[in-house]
Amino acid sequence: MKKLVKRALQRPADALIYESGVLPGRLREVAGPLLIEEPAVAAKFLPYEGGRGNYIIEAPAERQVGERDGLPVPPPGLWEGYGQTPEQYLGGGRPRSGS
């Protein structure tokens, strides 16, 4: 009988607690730091800007064709025939015009 009453009252009690808005915030406050530190929990969300609820990441400006980004180019021995000069090698990854 005790189990039956408990089962019958469980969902309304859960709904009342959840709708109060207190429990979810309290759980995040207490369990959040514990979950972040727990190595067994793989799927973790780390907000980009701390406590902010939203943010915008703007797209990078378009680079001009031939503009170097300062990253190193691998040695010619690793180019596997994709070009004879650094410009040809790097140009192999650019989309062709008209495609």
Side-chain angles (χ1 to χ4, degrees), residues 23-82:
L23 183 61
R26 186 75 176 123
L27 281 175
R28 277 191 298 275
E29 186 180 301
V30 173
L34 296 174
L35 290 174
I36 294 297
E37 295 172 7
E38 177 58 47
V41 178
K44 298 175 183 171
F45 172 73
L46 301 174
Y48 174 68
E49 290 188 357
R52 293 189 59 187
N54 56 17
Y55 54 89
I56 296 174
I57 298 177
E58 295 184 16
E62 288 290 323
R63 292 189 304 173
Q64 298 297 320
V65 174
E67 183 181 337
R68 297 291 301 270
D69 57 9
L71 295 174
V73 177
L78 299 177
W79 292 356
E80 299 291 329
Y82 287 101

